[in-house]
Amino acid sequence: MRKTEVSHGIYTSPGDRRLVINVGGRRYETFQSTLASIPDTRLAWIAGRPHETPEYDTSHNEYFFDRHSAIFEDILNYYRTGKLHCPRGVCSAVFEEELSFWGIDEEQMEPCCWPEYTRQRTAIEDLRIFNGNASDESLNSENTLNNADCVLPGRKASEDRKGLRGFYRLVQPIIWRTLEEPFSSCTAKITAIISLAFILLSVLDFVMSSVPVVPYQSTPSVIEYVCGSWFTFEFILRTAFSPSLRRQFKKPMTWVDIGALLPFYLQFFIDVGDMERIKIFIMFRLLRVFRLFRFSYRLQIMALALKGSLHELGLLLLILVISVIFFSTLVFYTDGDNKRSKFQNIPKSFWWAIITLTTVGYGDDTPVSWSGRIVGSACALWGVLMITLPISIVNSNFSLYYAHAKAMLRLPKKVVKETFSPGTKRYLSYLSALNSDINFDGYPLAGLAGAILP
């Protein structure tokens, strides 16, 4: 982070003015030079022009701001000490909004507060999908439904000419929310249950096809026909009613759906002998298991927690690679000279090192000399320490994400109150369309109706 040089420990001359700032009913006193210590901020502008700001109250000889008074203490301390700290127990979004109002760059924050500040904000941004309030698509659909009752007589013919386009705009948000938000409505829950049943049935059919008792079929079975048809129908709906095709095809789950459908259609165009040589495509059917992430918020939270811990997991992978090379080399030179040793070279020792570091210990490759066993003991102890440390970080991220997601799911839906009744809105719309040139006290009637109608 780039820090701004701030001259703290300011020497105040006897002629330095004291300014009174009233924030949310709480009065603060500070010197004018203190506020001027950090330029290009709201308080610095006040210090440069004390009586030219609209917030200045001449009757009380103070500046009044209707803002968060508790947060302002930390902001004022930033001017006094030159160190910006985030107060404990305050939502990072609220603190970010206050910093923006006072014109302070968030990157001036001290390193001790920056990780927690960004961690909470990142979690909130990642968990927008768990917001219990109506999404933009649902709000647009509700507005469309409400406006459908306010059709003007003069515009009815033009609305009818729109045909399928108007119908698509009407049903698109409803169908999209039904497919993407399984718990948003009763219809969405039924659709999710049906899709979940087809996923489990398809996975069961795939697993049972490997049993020797079940004869192998070169053509799709009845279960595969039914499941493949349902998944195709669902994929077409998601593609047709997606708000943005570009964002839709950037989602990993979209490509999971495509990969799961690929072997179903390949079986119609490839011979039986060729299918034996490209069994990898048949394994793509197993990708349907990952569709379960659509219906479990806990699985999605776990995936987001792992995503938020990528840096720690990447560091773990780097340490693992270094440790594998190090201990493989040690065990080769300490145990490789023994005739019974299985460590003939360093690459063949990689398997033993990985199994020992991850504390699995199959026992197929073991050192036979005392020096090799000492290396193996050190490798096992180091593996315990190496695996334990990142797990605590992942667990902490999961707890944070789960707490935020649980709170978002329990939020009541925000209801936007209508200012005018539907009858009044239809009447104003009709008057506006009847004659847009009629003036009402100097204001066009059309502009008046357009201003008060959403």
Side-chain angles (χ1 to χ4, degrees):
M1 295 183 294
R2 184 181 178 182
K3 303 291 290 184
T4 302
E5 297 293 336
V6 180
S7 57
H8 48 85
I10 303 172
Y11 172 77
T12 58
S13 61
D16 195 2
R17 292 187 54 186
R18 286 194 302 177
L19 302 179
V20 179
I21 304 175
N22 189 333
V23 180
R26 187 179 297 181
R27 300 173 76 248
Y28 298 88
E29 287 190 40
T30 186
F31 289 102
Q32 183 176 356
S33 58
T34 302
L35 301 182
S37 62
I38 302 179
D40 300 328
T41 59
R42 186 182 291 268
L43 293 179
W45 190 79
I46 290 176
R49 302 171 181 174
H51 303 293
E52 298 181 9
T53 59
E55 295 84 6
Y56 181 70
D57 187 358
T58 55
S59 60
H60 296 84
N61 192 25
E62 65 181 17
Y63 299 90
F64 178 77
F65 295 93
D66 191 14
R67 305 297 300 185
H68 201 298
S69 59
I71 295 180
F72 184 74
E73 291 183 6
D74 294 273
I75 292 176
L76 187 58
N77 285 332
Y78 174 49
Y79 285 83
R80 292 167 175 167
T81 64
K83 297 180 179 180
L84 179 62
H85 293 276
C86 181
R88 291 182 177 274
V90 176
C91 178
S92 60
V94 177
F95 190 61
E96 181 183 6
E97 184 179 353
E98 291 297 314
L99 291 178
S100 177
F101 175 80
W102 297 108
I104 300 175
D105 187 6
E106 62 178 9
E107 294 186 356
Q108 305 303 319
M109 195 175 302
E110 292 299 307
C112 59
C113 297
W114 179 257
E116 184 63 26
Y117 171 76
T118 55
R119 180 167 170 257
Q120 189 182 70
R121 185 177 59 181
T122 303
I124 294 174
E125 292 177 355
D126 291 341
L127 291 172
R128 286 179 180 175
I129 58 175
F130 299 104
N131 195 346
N133 298 323
S135 58
D136 295 338
E137 291 86 357
S138 61
L139 290 176
N140 292 335
S141 64
E142 292 175 2
N143 293 334
T144 307
L145 289 173
N146 292 334
N147 294 334
D149 298 333
C150 305
V151 180
L152 304 178
R155 300 179 183 176
K156 187 173 182 180
S158 60
E159 292 292 335
D160 292 339
R161 284 194 296 267
K162 291 183 178 179
L164 294 177
R165 181 179 298 178
F167 178 75
Y168 175 81
R169 292 178 179 177
L170 180 67
V171 302
Q172 182 269 331
I174 303 174
I175 296 179
W176 176 251
R177 193 179 183 196
T178 301
L179 295 173
E180 287 294 315
E181 301 179 17
F183 302 99
S184 60
S185 64
C186 183
T187 306
K189 291 180 181 179
I190 296 174
T191 305
I193 292 174
I194 295 174
S195 182
L196 180 61
F198 277 112
I199 292 173
L200 296 177
L201 184 63
S202 175
V203 172
L204 179 62
D205 178 65
F206 174 75
V207 172
M208 293 303 297
S209 64
S210 63
V211 179
V213 179
V214 180
Y216 175 76
Q217 295 180 353
S218 60
T219 59
S221 62
V222 177
I223 297 179
E224 185 63 18
Y225 269 120
V226 176
C227 294
S229 302
W230 169 262
F231 295 141
T232 303
F233 173 70
E234 189 178 13
F235 179 77
I236 292 174
L237 284 182
R238 291 182 185 277
T239 306
F241 293 96
S242 173
S244 174
L245 287 178
R246 179 178 298 179
R247 289 199 300 266
Q248 178 69 9
F249 280 93
K250 286 183 178 180
K251 295 180 180 179
M253 291 306 300
T254 301
W255 293 101
V256 168
D257 294 340
I258 295 175
L261 286 172
L262 185 62
F264 173 71
Y265 287 101
L266 281 178
Q267 296 181 74
F268 293 102
F269 303 100
I270 299 179
D271 297 332
V272 179
D274 296 334
M275 287 296 296
E276 289 292 333
R277 290 192 293 269
I278 55 172
K279 288 184 178 181
I280 184 65
F281 290 104
I282 301 178
M283 292 177 60
F284 282 175
R285 290 173 54 189
L286 193 59
L287 293 175
R288 293 172 185 172
V289 177
F290 294 99
R291 292 170 58 93
L292 296 175
F293 279 83
R294 295 185 187 272
F295 312 107
S296 176
Y297 285 136
R298 288 179 176 84
L299 289 178
Q300 296 180 33
I301 293 171
M302 188 63 194
L304 291 174
L306 292 175
K307 179 183 176 182
S309 309
L310 284 179
H311 294 288
E312 292 79 8
L313 295 177
L315 179 62
L316 172 63
L317 181 61
L318 177 62
I319 296 175
L320 178 63
V321 171
I322 295 174
S323 302
V324 166
I325 298 175
F326 177 75
F327 284 105
S328 298
T329 304
L330 283 182
V331 77
F332 170 71
Y333 283 106
T334 57
D335 197 74
D337 295 336
N338 196 301
K339 295 181 179 179
R340 295 180 299 167
S341 177
K342 296 183 179 180
F343 307 114
Q344 301 176 1
N345 52 55
I346 295 177
K348 287 187 177 181
S349 304
F350 285 170
W351 170 254
W352 168 85
I354 293 174
I355 296 303
T356 306
L357 286 170
T358 55
T359 67
V360 176
Y362 287 129
D364 49 353
D365 294 337
T366 56
V368 294
S369 63
W370 282 106
S371 57
R373 290 175 181 177
I374 292 175
V375 172
S377 301
C379 181
L381 293 175
W382 172 248
V384 172
L385 296 176
M386 181 186 64
I387 297 295
T388 303
L389 294 178
I391 287 178
S392 60
I393 299 175
V394 175
N395 184 40
S396 176
N397 287 337
F398 179 80
S399 300
L400 176 66
Y401 278 64
Y402 185 76
H404 282 295
K406 195 173 182 180
M408 288 180 177
L409 290 174
R410 290 183 176 181
L411 281 177
K413 291 185 178 180
K414 295 180 181 179
V415 179
V416 181
K417 295 183 178 180
E418 295 287 348
T419 307
F420 298 96
S421 63
T424 305
K425 294 171 71 174
R426 283 196 298 269
Y427 179 70
L428 291 173
S429 300
Y430 178 71
L431 290 179
S432 174
L434 192 62
N435 190 352
S436 60
D437 297 329
I438 299 178
N439 288 346
F440 183 75
D441 290 340
Y443 294 95
L445 185 59
L448 176 63
I452 62 179
L453 289 176

